[in-house]
Amino acid sequence: MSQAHQKFVQLHKALNASLIERDEEIACLLVALAAGEHLLLVGPPGTAKSALCNSLLDSLSGEIAYFERLLGKYSKPEELFGPPSLKALKDDRFEHKIEGFLPSAHLSFVDEIGKASPAIINSLLTIMNERKFDNGPDRIDCPLRILVAASNEWPVGEGFETCGAMFDRFLLRKAVSYVTPLSLKDVIFAELSKVPEILSLEDIDAAVAESASIPWSESGKEAYLKILDRLRSEGIRPSDRRCRKSARLARAAAWLRGASEVLPEHLEVLQHALWEDPVEHPQKVSEVVIEVSNPGAKKLAQLLVEARELVESVNTRNVTGETYGQLAKLTEVCNKLRDLPGDRAKEAHAKILGQAKELNQAVLRA
């Protein structure tokens, strides 16, 4: 295990301890960071989208250039790329003063990214895809390691036509929802730990280099091609660029798990990458990816959905015979989770078991 890998493991634990019910979002963030890619989070206000990025910022040591901006309908390019240089204008050149703005940042968070104007999008595409910025006649290098963006809604209709190209540059795109009612108490009252300084820029660069060198197993290759074939049969055809770049995500996922090669189980993260239409595709892609990459994960996902519905339906203030029936079903789900193999199933079992105990205690007190 390399030093960079050890630090990413530490960061994973620290982020999970600092946020409630954001396991999948944290996993996506770390995969994006280790793959040298960008992440888009979409969900209603107040779902810890910016908190996740701020926690990542807290974890970084050394001199980190951070840029954050909330876009609006009338946001101008200089709000992201810096004001015009008066000195350059005197020489009949148009250049931005980029210090303190996105082109000079290592880490960036842009909220309401869907409101970006075409003028903003044009420059943003080059920064995201090539880590370059056209500043007047010069194309300069950008030190950006990751851009995390957020939006309250997916771009559709005219919105998709306007920012579709930028939307495509986010290789990972994850929907975010509110926490379950049972976890709301922790959100309100729990003393969440602050993420300590763990990572340096050098650690991030090492992670990108190390993960890129992870080889593919034959079973991993076969599983990936099978996923793409199944998606085509469903009418879903990711671009060639997206298919190739998504392979980097699988390598990063394998590296984060300490694997020596990419196996089918490391392809699960691709459920957040291999789709184009944010309205119709995500659910289909998720089903195909999970079924091919990790059949056991499909059963795990079904049990977690069932557990979540049961937890949300239990009314501890008005205890009836139905309440006890729901608790009994929740116990059955816990037992099924206990019997599933793998670390994720073990973690899920511990989490649901804890929720079941809390509900039982609440019912006894009622």
Side-chain angles (χ1 to χ4, degrees):
M1 184 183 293
S2 68
Q3 180 179 348
H5 184 266
Q6 290 176 348
K7 290 189 176 182
F8 266 75
V9 171
Q10 293 173 24
L11 177 58
H12 195 176
K13 293 178 180 178
L15 289 173
N16 274 322
S18 71
L19 297 165
I20 305 295
E21 285 191 10
R22 289 295 168 258
D23 304 24
E24 289 188 23
E25 290 77 11
I26 290 169
C28 285
L29 175 67
L30 295 182
V31 168
L33 193 61
E37 291 294 341
H38 309 293
L39 172 65
L40 174 64
L41 300 171
V42 178
T47 49
K49 299 187 292 292
S50 61
L52 178 58
C53 193
N54 288 330
S55 294
L56 174 61
L57 176 63
D58 290 338
S59 76
L60 299 178
S61 61
E63 295 185 7
I64 304 298
Y66 175 67
F67 177 79
E68 180 175 333
R69 188 67 77 236
L70 170 64
L71 296 184
K73 185 177 180 180
Y74 300 106
S75 292
K76 299 179 180 179
E78 50 262 38
E79 294 179 36
L80 270 72
F81 311 123
S85 169
L86 297 180
K87 182 178 179 181
L89 287 175
K90 291 179 181 179
D91 297 329
D92 293 329
R93 292 182 292 110
F94 184 85
E95 295 179 1
H96 292 273
K97 296 179 67 175
I98 65 171
E99 290 303 317
F101 290 87
L102 180 56
S104 64
H106 298 116
L107 168 65
S108 180
F109 176 74
V110 179
D111 203 358
E112 288 302 320
I113 191 75
K115 294 180 180 178
S117 67
I120 290 175
I121 291 172
N122 288 339
S123 294
L124 201 55
L125 291 178
T126 309
I127 293 177
M128 293 176 67
N129 205 41
E130 302 176 38
R131 303 303 202 277
K132 304 283 186 180
F133 177 65
D134 293 322
N135 198 15
D138 301 319
R139 171 163 285 198
I140 61 175
D141 293 327
C142 297
L144 186 67
R145 267 50 173 199
I146 184 172
L147 169 62
V148 179
S151 178
N152 293 337
E153 56 190 7
W154 297 105
V156 293
E158 292 183 4
F160 190 81
E161 293 177 6
T162 301
C163 62
M166 178 187 63
F167 178 75
D168 182 62
R169 293 307 189 276
F170 289 99
L171 193 55
L172 275 169
R173 298 167 297 200
K174 177 73 175 64
V176 187
S177 58
Y178 292 121
V179 302
T180 57
L182 197 60
S183 294
L184 189 58
K185 180 179 69 174
D186 291 332
V187 171
I188 298 171
F189 301 112
E191 292 292 332
L192 299 176
S193 59
K194 181 179 173 63
V195 178
E197 291 186 358
I198 298 173
L199 282 184
S200 66
L201 293 176
E202 291 74 20
D203 293 324
I204 296 174
D205 294 341
V208 173
E210 290 175 16
S211 65
S213 67
I214 298 289
W216 280 76
S217 67
E218 288 303 316
S219 60
K221 291 178 183 179
E222 291 174 8
Y224 191 20
L225 294 175
K226 184 176 181 180
I227 287 171
L228 296 176
D229 186 57
R230 287 278 301 277
L231 291 179
R232 280 194 293 271
S233 69
E234 294 281 351
I236 301 172
R237 177 66 188 267
S239 68
D240 294 345
R241 177 179 60 197
R242 179 162 287 273
C243 290
R244 181 172 177 80
K245 295 190 75 174
S246 292
R248 283 284 295 111
L249 299 179
R251 281 190 165 105
W255 180 82
L256 286 166
R257 294 194 193 180
S260 59
E261 58 182 358
V262 179
L263 300 171
E265 64 193 61
H266 302 134
L267 305 182
E268 282 186 61
V269 69
L270 302 188
Q271 64 184 292
H272 305 301
L274 294 176
W275 49 267
E276 302 294 339
D277 186 331
V279 176
E280 298 182 2
H281 290 176
Q283 184 61 36
K284 291 181 181 178
V285 171
S286 179
E287 290 173 357
V288 170
V289 170
I290 290 176
E291 184 176 339
V292 174
S293 65
N294 191 351
K298 184 176 182 180
K299 181 62 176 178
L300 174 60
Q302 292 171 341
L303 289 173
L304 287 176
V305 169
E306 185 178 354
R308 181 168 184 166
E309 291 175 349
L310 286 168
V311 167
E312 292 180 351
S313 65
V314 173
N315 187 347
T316 57
R317 297 180 180 179
N318 182 25
V319 179
T320 64
E322 183 181 4
T323 306
Y324 290 106
Q326 291 166 335
L327 290 175
K329 289 181 180 178
L330 189 58
T331 299
E332 291 178 9
V333 172
C334 281
N335 292 336
K336 292 178 181 178
L337 286 170
R338 180 195 59 201
D339 296 335
L340 289 179
D343 293 336
R344 289 184 60 192
K346 191 179 296 183
E347 293 172 3
H349 172 257
K351 180 179 179 180
I352 302 302
L353 182 61
Q355 292 178 332
K357 288 180 178 178
E358 285 188 36
L359 288 172
N360 274 292
Q361 290 172 359
V363 167
L364 290 175
R365 291 193 299 266

